[in-house]
Amino acid sequence: MRALHETARKTLDPVRYDYVAGGAGEERVLADNERAFDRYALLPRVLRGSGTRDTSAALPGAPRTAPVLVAPTAFHRLVHRDGERATARAAAAEGAVLVTGTAATTAVRDVVAAAREAAPDPAVWFQLYPHPRREVTAALVRRAEDAGCTALVVTVDSPVFGRHTRDLRNGFTDLPPGYAAENMRGLPGTGPDALTDIPMSPAARWPDLTETLRGTSLPVLLKGVLHPDDARLAVEHGAAGVIVSNHGGRQCDAVPAALDCLPAVAGAVAGRVPVLLDGGVRRGSDVAVALALGAAAAGVGRPVVWGLAAEGETGVRRVLAALREEYDHTLALCGGRRNADLTADMVVRKGGTW
Ligand SMILES: Cc1cc2nc3c(=O)[nH]c(=O)nc-3n(C[C@H](O)[C@H](O)[C@H](O)COP(=O)(O)O)c2cc1C
Ligand SMILES: CC(C)CC(=O)C(=O)O
C-alpha cells in the first residue's frame, strides 16, 4: 500500500496530489487520525480458533459485505482517466461497499452500471451534500435512487468548506477545465457554469434530515458524527447508521482523531444501528482495532485514491484485497472466527496496564 502511495505521489501532478493528501489548517487532525491507531494494541485471545473465518459485515443496503468500505472521495477523474468507473468495478469485485457522491466526476447511474459489470448485486451508496435549495437535494436523492444505490450517506460535518491549506497555497479552488461534478448537471438552478460548484448548507438543522428521510425509502446514514449526543439524535431521527468521521482531517483542525471518538459514539448508539468509522485506517490491524472498539465496518479514503492514481482499477483492488487479507489474518491471530469476536476488552492503550 505504501508503494502505491509512493507511485501516486511520483506520477500525479503535485497540485492534485496535494488536494488528496492535504487536510485543513495545520493538518494536525490529519496526522492524528493515523497516530491514534498507534496508541492502541490488540490483546489476542488464545485457544478458541477455527479453521475458517467469516469476516462479512451486515450494513444498511449491504447485508453481506466486506468490513472495509470505500469512503466517499471527490473527483476521481482528477487522478485517473477511468475515474469512478474504475473504483466502482474494483469495489464490486472485492465485495466492498462503494460510497460515491455528490462530488463525483462520473454520474451516479454510470458508477452503478460500472459496479454491475464486476458483480451482479453490488452495493453502491450515495453520499449527499445537502443543497441549500431543497429541490436540488431532492433531485440528487432521486438520481441516486433511480441509479440503484442501496443507501444514502448524508455528510453533516461540512456546514462550510474546510480550509485546505495546500489548496489555498496552490490556488486549487475549483476543478480544472474538462472536469465536472456530473451529478449536479442539469439540476434546478444549476447551469453549466455551476457544475463545479457544490455549495455547503450552513443553515441545515435536524428537521432537514427528517425531510430527507421522509423523501426516500433508502436507509440513510449520517457521516461526520463525533459527539455522542449527536449519535443519539441521529438514531432518534431515524438514521440507519452513524459514521464516525472527521472528514479525514479536512474540516475542523481541532477535533479528536476519529478513532478516539468511536467508543463514546458506540456507547451512545448501543447497538441500535451500525456505527462505522473512517479516518487513518491504513492496515488490517487498524480495521480490527476499529471493530473491537465498536465499529461494524471501517472506511478508507486516501489509500483507495492512491491505488486508483497508481494503477487504476487494479490498484484499487490491490488496496482493498490487502486490507481484507490483513484483517482476516489479524482476526485469526486474535482467536476470532467472526467480526463480533473482537470485543473492547481485546484493545488496550499502549504503555498502560490493564
Ligand atoms: C480527496 C478527498 C475527497 C473527499 N471528498 C469527500 C466528499 O466528497 N464527501 C465526503 O463526505 N467526504 C469526503 N472526503 C472524506 C472521506 O470520505 C473520509 O472521511 C476520509 O478520507 C477518511 O480518511 P482517510 O483518507 O484517512 O482514510 C474526502 C476525502 C479526501 C481525501
Ligand atoms: C467538493 C468537496 C467538498 C469534496 C470534499 O469533501 C473534500 O475535498 O474534502
Side-chain angles (χ1 to χ4, degrees), residues 69-100 104-106 110-112 114-118 122-124 300-309 311-317 319-320:
L69 69 150
V70 178
T73 47
F75 311 141
H76 287 188
R77 287 188 52 240
L78 274 186
V79 303
H80 193 278
R81 65 182 179 282
D82 297 341
E84 287 83 2
R85 284 186 184 81
T87 319
R89 281 193 294 267
E94 295 298 329
V97 172
L98 165 71
V99 192
T100 190
T105 40
T106 308
D110 297 329
V111 174
V112 175
R116 286 184 178 145
E117 288 163 15
V124 179
V300 277
R302 293 179 183 83
V304 165
V305 184
W306 302 142
L308 178 66
E311 295 181 2
E313 179 182 345
T314 308
V316 176
R317 282 197 72 163
V319 168
L320 294 174

Side-chain angles (χ1 to χ4, degrees), residues 28 32 50 97 150 153 180 188 190 254 269 287 299 319 344 347:
R28 289 190 294 181
D32 204 31
S50 119
V97 172
T150 59
V153 172
T190 63
V269 169
V287 178
V319 168
V347 174

Side-chain angles (χ1 to χ4, degrees), residues 9-22:
R9 197 180 59 74
K10 286 197 189 123
T11 49
L12 278 178
D13 167 288
V15 171
R16 296 181 188 196
Y17 175 82
D18 272 353
Y19 166 65
V20 178

Side-chain angles (χ1 to χ4, degrees), residues 149-332:
C149 291
T150 59
L152 295 178
V153 172
V154 178
T155 298
V156 291
D157 61 17
S158 307
V160 293
F161 275 114
R163 282 191 210 285
H164 298 177
T165 313
R166 300 190 205 193
D167 295 344
L168 295 171
R169 193 179 57 215
N170 294 335
F172 189 69
T173 50
D174 209 342
L175 279 170
Y179 298 92
E182 292 293 341
N183 292 311
M184 303 302 290
R185 201 181 277 281
L187 291 181
T190 63
D193 296 338
L195 283 179
T196 59
D197 180 24
I198 299 168
M200 301 290 128
S201 295
R205 301 173 70 88
W206 288 100
D208 299 299
L209 173 68
T210 304
E211 190 174 308
T212 302
L213 283 157
R214 283 208 190 107
T216 183
S217 55
L218 294 178
V220 176
L221 297 92
L222 286 206
K223 174 173 183 280
V225 173
L226 300 177
H227 198 298
D229 286 348
D230 283 336
R232 270 187 216 100
L233 282 168
V235 177
E236 284 163 21
H237 280 77
V242 170
I243 307 178
V244 177
S245 169
N246 54 36
H247 214 111
R250 294 161 78 85
Q251 288 298 115
C252 179
D253 196 34
V255 298
L259 186 68
D260 289 334
C261 296
L262 175 61
V265 168
V269 169
R272 289 174 288 173
V273 297
V275 173
L276 286 69
L277 166 122
D278 71 37
V281 174
R282 299 292 178 264
R283 45 188 97 78
S285 59
D286 297 342
V287 178
V289 169
L291 267 55
L293 289 176
V300 277
R302 293 179 183 83
V304 165
V305 184
W306 302 142
L308 178 66
E311 295 181 2
E313 179 182 345
T314 308
V316 176
R317 282 197 72 163
R318 283 181 62 190
V319 168
L320 294 174
L323 285 167
R324 189 192 57 234
E325 282 158 21
E326 286 170 19
Y327 169 66
D328 177 68
H329 189 65
T330 305
L331 183 64

